[in-house]
Amino acid sequence: MAKIIGIANQKGGVGKTTTAINLAASLGVLEFKTLLVDADPQANSTTGLGFDLHNITHGLYDCMINSTSARDVILKSDIPYLDVIPSHIDLVGAEIEMINYPNRESVLKNILDPLRDDYDFIVIDCSPSLGLITVNALTAADSVIVPVQAEFFALEGLGKLLNTIKIVQNRLNPELQIEGLLMTMYDGRLRLCNQVVNEVRKHFEDLVFSIIIHRNTKLSEAPSFGKPAILYDADSKGAINYLNLAKEILQKNNMTKISQEERILQ
């Protein structure tokens, strides 16, 4: 039974798509069957895993608007345990087309629920807005990860997002949890970065992941090669950060796999 995790922040440029791609890839590398759902019309998660948008004939838009089965649009990535539901610029129009739908906030939930038995994790990359598709993602999700950039305006807009999460919890998805706030683009040399991290930890305490994502060149370069960081340079700081984030999430959810050696010892 898959755990569905949304990656959301209406503030752009905070490392949301980078987190979606690299967390999903890390879970896949750790041999957890993972599905990455690109719910952002910019389709950066799709291209960031090496798919050419010109070759994609069906994607999330078709599932949401034309009732295409999700299994018919799923693509296999270069990581054996990682699949993708791609996005396309067409998704921009989906919000308007869904306006008169009955239960319009639950369209994505109805698409993903039949896939739960096929995967261990489903990761949704949300668009940088609090529109209907993001509300759909939060309604479908079991939990949400909020990437927060380690910079001066980090807390700006965070209240708005947390308020939206609260509304979704009250009206649409009472089971929705905050998986954690993830500090991104951290540069340990800057005093400001450390101040921001301390401030966020002081405000939100246990809600903040202990893993911090450092600013890393390889992490920035990888999408232009159509690869997650772990395939582009597995030894890079960024790849290791996200692998450790995946492990922290597994630990938090009591899903750590027992190694062969540990099985023998038991």
Side-chain angles (χ1 to χ4, degrees):
M1 187 75 162
K3 174 159 193 171
I4 302 181
I5 302 176
I7 316 282
N9 194 331
Q10 82 276 19
K11 198 168 182 290
V14 296
K16 180 184 54 59
T17 297
T18 300
T19 296
I21 293 172
N22 290 291
L23 172 59
S26 297
L27 290 166
V29 164
L30 293 168
E31 298 188 356
F32 286 87
K33 288 189 79 180
T34 305
L35 175 67
L36 176 59
V37 180
D38 191 350
D40 184 348
Q42 294 174 75
N44 291 336
S45 278
T46 305
T47 55
L49 284 173
F51 296 103
D52 185 344
L53 295 184
H54 296 103
N55 299 332
I56 290 168
T57 51
H58 295 95
L60 186 61
Y61 172 85
D62 299 277
C63 299
M64 296 186 88
I65 303 302
N66 302 327
S67 303
T68 305
S69 164
R71 288 191 176 91
D72 293 339
V73 306
I74 288 172
L75 303 173
K76 300 273 175 202
S77 79
D78 291 339
I79 294 171
Y81 285 83
L82 177 61
D83 294 345
V84 184
I85 291 182
S87 182
H88 198 272
I89 192 68
D90 290 353
L91 199 59
V92 167
E95 298 207 352
I96 297 160
E97 292 179 63
M98 285 161 61
I99 283 292
N100 296 319
Y101 277 26
N103 302 321
R104 61 187 181 194
E105 296 89 357
S106 305
V107 174
L108 187 56
K109 179 180 170 59
N110 296 333
I111 291 165
L112 298 181
D113 276 352
L115 301 175
R116 277 187 186 260
D117 290 336
D118 301 351
Y119 295 95
D120 298 306
F121 286 96
I122 296 175
V123 177
I124 308 172
D125 180 19
C126 301
S127 61
S129 74
L130 293 178
L132 187 53
I133 291 176
T134 299
V135 170
N136 260 266
L138 295 176
T139 304
D142 299 309
S143 67
V144 58
I145 291 174
V146 182
V148 180
Q149 192 176 351
E151 52 134 67
F152 184 70
F153 294 113
L155 298 176
E156 193 183 75
L158 199 52
K160 203 172 181 181
L161 176 64
L162 296 175
N163 197 41
T164 302
I165 291 169
K166 200 167 280 183
I167 292 166
V168 171
Q169 285 169 329
N170 290 338
R171 297 183 191 171
L172 300 163
N173 183 3
E175 307 299 312
L176 182 65
Q177 304 282 319
I178 294 176
E179 191 75 31
L181 272 61
L182 177 67
M183 302 305 303
T184 61
M185 303 182 185
Y186 173 79
D187 186 339
R189 296 166 302 179
L190 302 178
R191 196 197 311 170
L192 178 64
C193 278
N194 293 302
Q195 285 172 342
V196 170
V197 170
N198 291 336
E199 193 68 19
V200 172
R201 286 203 195 282
K202 194 172 81 182
H203 267 77
F204 297 101
E205 298 170 340
D206 294 345
L207 276 183
V208 186
F209 284 108
S210 56
I211 291 298
I212 291 175
I213 309 301
H214 291 72
R215 216 175 254 286
N216 180 248
T217 313
K218 300 290 183 186
L219 210 49
S220 308
E221 288 174 359
S224 60
F225 290 87
K227 292 180 178 182
I230 205 154
L231 289 188
Y232 180 61
D233 184 349
D235 295 325
S236 67
K237 196 162 201 169
I240 292 163
N241 283 167
Y242 277 109
L243 201 55
N244 287 330
L245 173 66
K247 288 175 181 173
E248 186 173 345
I249 289 167
L250 291 169
Q251 222 163 7
K252 203 173 174 182
N253 290 281
N254 300 315
M255 289 177 72
T256 316
K257 286 184 177 175
I258 300 172
S259 69
Q260 198 61 41
E261 292 84 355
E262 285 170 312
R263 270 198 205 97
I264 293 162
L265 289 170
Q266 279 182 350

